[in-house]
């Protein structure tokens, strides 16, 4: 899309658009004066005179119908052009409910314009008609309306999911690639929906993030993961050959990270569970950190004071500045699975895994390779001195009781 603003000039008296024309553009008046008028019973009725900074032509652009009035330059005028593609892009990214409101207002406005009512009342839009206004029926409105209904229902269902105990954490083992034992687990959330079955995070995390539900949901995940950690400890303690404690990692989303109460809530959860805080690792993506590095620095230091560990997730897919990487109190880099899963065929991926491991060690961090998909990758990672590995080849994410039974598993090689 062309990001350069297009402007167009009109001389005094020139017509900008005419009532009944098709309209694919709206305008903002950069300078000058524009008169907007309609023809009724053979005479022109001026609706408005618009000056600098005001908007015109937006109705036809938004609902794709014809111009409902004529616009003419009263003085020499310059307009900034807003074309349909630009506006549609903005509408697509807007809150569905706002879109619905927009369509409803537009359709009602147009309907009242064409109703057989005293001219002056019809022309001002009849905001006082209240319930007497006909319901909008356009196809676009129907589509928006269905979208909004669906979204409201999902939002409602998701907000009840915690109370109704429909959320569950599954645990994917993370192996120590040198010693071969299970070093810890990544907690991954699932929604056991009463009619849709198990929904993976890709089906609801975005909605939870947009609505803010991710904050209570994330807190629930942290508390649940810590309770699971206590149970893992008990199971592990029963093993004669390896009673070392395992850790648990929990994913943090943007909204949670921005929540000013995060560190306090975490402090409270940690103090109510008899657990070594160093066994809890928070996974944060690099794009989240680089969004506002100075804020991230303060927040990371507050979290570190609680004694827990910090992991940069999906490393290599964002744009970390190396100087920040050095200054952030990070314990672990987790190499994104797109590099690990292609490292045997793609020399570039292999070099990224090698360089990331080297960089992490140089900065006194350890490394987790995620997405380990076969024994060849595993061997290479061991050769590169990568400490930890996680991936479907080693184990899929497991329900907690299955995680208990693999807690003493060891790698064959
Ligand atoms: P992630 O943090 O990168 O988590 C790893 C994802 O990769 C998991 O998907 C896991 O099942 C999958 N995975 C692990 N090994 C392999 C492999 O070898 N091959 C392939 N193809 N995939 C592998 P999942 O559970 O669907 O989670 C997806 C994303 O959802 C996570 O990506 C994370 O960003 C987010 N997520 C999961 N649980 C939570 C949570 O409790 N809170 C927040 N905020 N986000 C979560
Ligand atoms: Ca993760
Ligand atoms: Ca990841």
């Amino acid at each position: 899309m062309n990001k350069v603003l297009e402007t167009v000039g009109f001389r005094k008296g020139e017509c900008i658009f005419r009532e009944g024309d098709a309209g694919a553009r709206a305008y903002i008046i950069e300078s000058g004066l524009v008169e907007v008028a309609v023809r009724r019973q053979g005479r022109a009725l001026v609706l408005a005179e618009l000056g600098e900074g005001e908007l015109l032509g937006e109705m036809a652009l938004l609902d794709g119908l014809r111009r409902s009035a004529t616009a003419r330059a009263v003085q020499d005028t310059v307009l900034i052009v807003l074309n349909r593609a630009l506006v549609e892009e903005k509408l697509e990214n807007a809150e569905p409910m706002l879109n619905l409101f927009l369509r409803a207002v537009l359709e009602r406005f147009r309907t009242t314009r064409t109703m057989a009512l005293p001219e002056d009342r019809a022309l001002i839009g009849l905001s006082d008609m209240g319930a007497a206004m006909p319901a909008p029926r356009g196809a676009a409105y129907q589509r928006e309306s269905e979208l909004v209904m669906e979204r409201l229902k999902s939002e409602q269902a998701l907000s009840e999911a915690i109370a109704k105990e429909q959320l569950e954490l599954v645990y994917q083992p993370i192996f120590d690639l040198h010693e071969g034992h299970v070093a810890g687990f990544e907690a991954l959330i699932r929604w056991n929906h009463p009619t849709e079955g198990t929904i993976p995070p890709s089906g609801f995390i975005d909605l939870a993030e947009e609505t803010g539900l991710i904050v209570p949901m994330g807190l629930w995940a942290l508390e649940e993961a810590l309770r699971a950690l206590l149970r893992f400890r008990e199971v592990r303690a029963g093993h004669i050959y390896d009673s070392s404690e395992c850790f648990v990692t929990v994913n943090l989303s943007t909204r949670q990270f921005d929540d000013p109460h995060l560190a306090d809530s975490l402090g409270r959860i940690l103090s109510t569970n008899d657990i070594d805080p160093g066994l809890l690792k928070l996974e944060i993506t690099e794009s989240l950190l680089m969004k506002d590095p100075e804020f991230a620095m303060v927040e990371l230091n507050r979290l570190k004071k609680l004694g827990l560990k910090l992991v940069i997730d999906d490393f290599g897919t964002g744009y970390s500045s190396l100087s920040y990487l050095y200054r952030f109190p990070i314990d672990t880099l987790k190499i994104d699975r797109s590099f690990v899963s292609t490292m045997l065929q793609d020399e570039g991926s292999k070099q990224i895994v090698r360089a990331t491991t080297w960089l992490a060690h140089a900065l006194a961090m350890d490394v987790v390779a995620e997405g380990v998909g076969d024994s060849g990758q595993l061997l290479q990672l061991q050769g590169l001195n990568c400490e930890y590995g996680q991936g479907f080849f080693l184990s899929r994410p497991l329900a907690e009781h299955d995680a208990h039974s693999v807690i003493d598993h060891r790698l064959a090689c």
Side-chain angles (χ1 to χ4, degrees), residues 103-166:
R103 295 220 188 273
V105 169
L106 266 179
E107 294 205 28
R108 285 184 173 144
F109 185 72
R110 286 210 186 251
T111 315
T112 52
R113 278 273 187 93
T114 54
M115 280 165 69
L117 285 162
E119 215 166 53
D120 53 342
R121 291 194 65 212
L123 291 172
I124 55 168
L126 300 163
S127 54
D128 57 336
M129 281 194 66
M133 278 195 280
R137 277 186 297 270
Y141 178 88
Q142 277 298 331
R143 222 178 18 255
E144 298 294 346
S145 161
E146 278 162 21
L147 252 175
V148 167
M149 297 263 281
E150 248 172 58
R151 201 184 142 101
L152 284 174
K153 281 187 193 157
S154 320
E155 243 180 83
Q156 174 68 19
L158 191 57
S159 70
E160 292 170 354
I162 302 179
K164 292 190 172 167
E165 299 185 5
Q166 292 165 358

Side-chain angles (χ1 to χ4, degrees), residues 186 251 283 285 313-315 334-337 370 390:
E186 177 172 8
N251 292 282
E283 296 199 1
T285 60
D313 200 0
D314 305 340
F315 189 78
K334 194 163 188 180
I335 308 177
D336 191 67
R337 73 164 180 266
E370 70 176 4
Q390 173 185 359

Side-chain angles (χ1 to χ4, degrees), residues 12-204:
K12 177 178 175 183
E14 223 180 319
C15 182
I16 300 167
F17 55 74
R18 232 175 267 285
E19 189 173 350
D21 284 354
R25 298 167 139 201
Y27 306 94
I28 297 174
I29 303 172
E30 189 176 82
S31 63
L33 195 65
V34 174
E35 177 193 273
V36 180
V38 286
R39 280 203 89 70
R40 291 292 176 266
Q41 287 145 10
R43 64 194 169 91
L45 196 84
V46 176
L47 297 179
E49 265 197 353
L50 305 173
E52 212 176 296
E54 290 194 275
L55 185 67
L56 71 146
E58 74 285 359
M59 279 176 60
L61 177 71
L62 287 171
D63 62 13
L65 299 180
R66 299 198 167 266
R67 298 287 190 201
S68 60
T70 298
R72 191 178 301 281
V74 180
Q75 310 167 349
D76 288 354
T77 296
V78 178
L79 303 175
I80 296 171
V81 178
L82 307 175
N83 63 40
R84 170 159 290 142
L86 173 77
V87 175
E88 277 176 355
E89 183 192 297
K90 304 264 181 219
L91 284 175
E92 258 171 43
N93 296 325
E95 222 315 293
M97 197 183 288
L98 286 182
N99 264 324
L100 182 65
F101 279 10
L102 196 61
R103 295 220 188 273
V105 169
L106 266 179
E107 294 205 28
R108 285 184 173 144
F109 185 72
R110 286 210 186 251
T111 315
T112 52
R113 278 273 187 93
T114 54
M115 280 165 69
L117 285 162
E119 215 166 53
D120 53 342
R121 291 194 65 212
L123 291 172
I124 55 168
L126 300 163
S127 54
D128 57 336
M129 281 194 66
M133 278 195 280
R137 277 186 297 270
Y141 178 88
Q142 277 298 331
R143 222 178 18 255
E144 298 294 346
S145 161
E146 278 162 21
L147 252 175
V148 167
M149 297 263 281
E150 248 172 58
R151 201 184 142 101
L152 284 174
K153 281 187 193 157
S154 320
E155 243 180 83
Q156 174 68 19
L158 191 57
S159 70
E160 292 170 354
I162 302 179
K164 292 190 172 167
E165 299 185 5
Q166 292 165 358
L167 296 181
E168 183 192 353
L169 292 182
V170 291
Y171 298 89
Q172 187 173 28
I174 298 173
F175 283 86
D176 181 316
L177 297 185
H178 302 314
E179 304 295 327
H181 61 244
V182 172
F185 295 91
E186 177 172 8
L188 296 160
I189 201 161
R190 300 288 181 266
W191 180 8
N192 296 319
H193 193 281
T195 54
E196 316 258 315
T198 303
I199 306 180
S202 56
F204 63 95

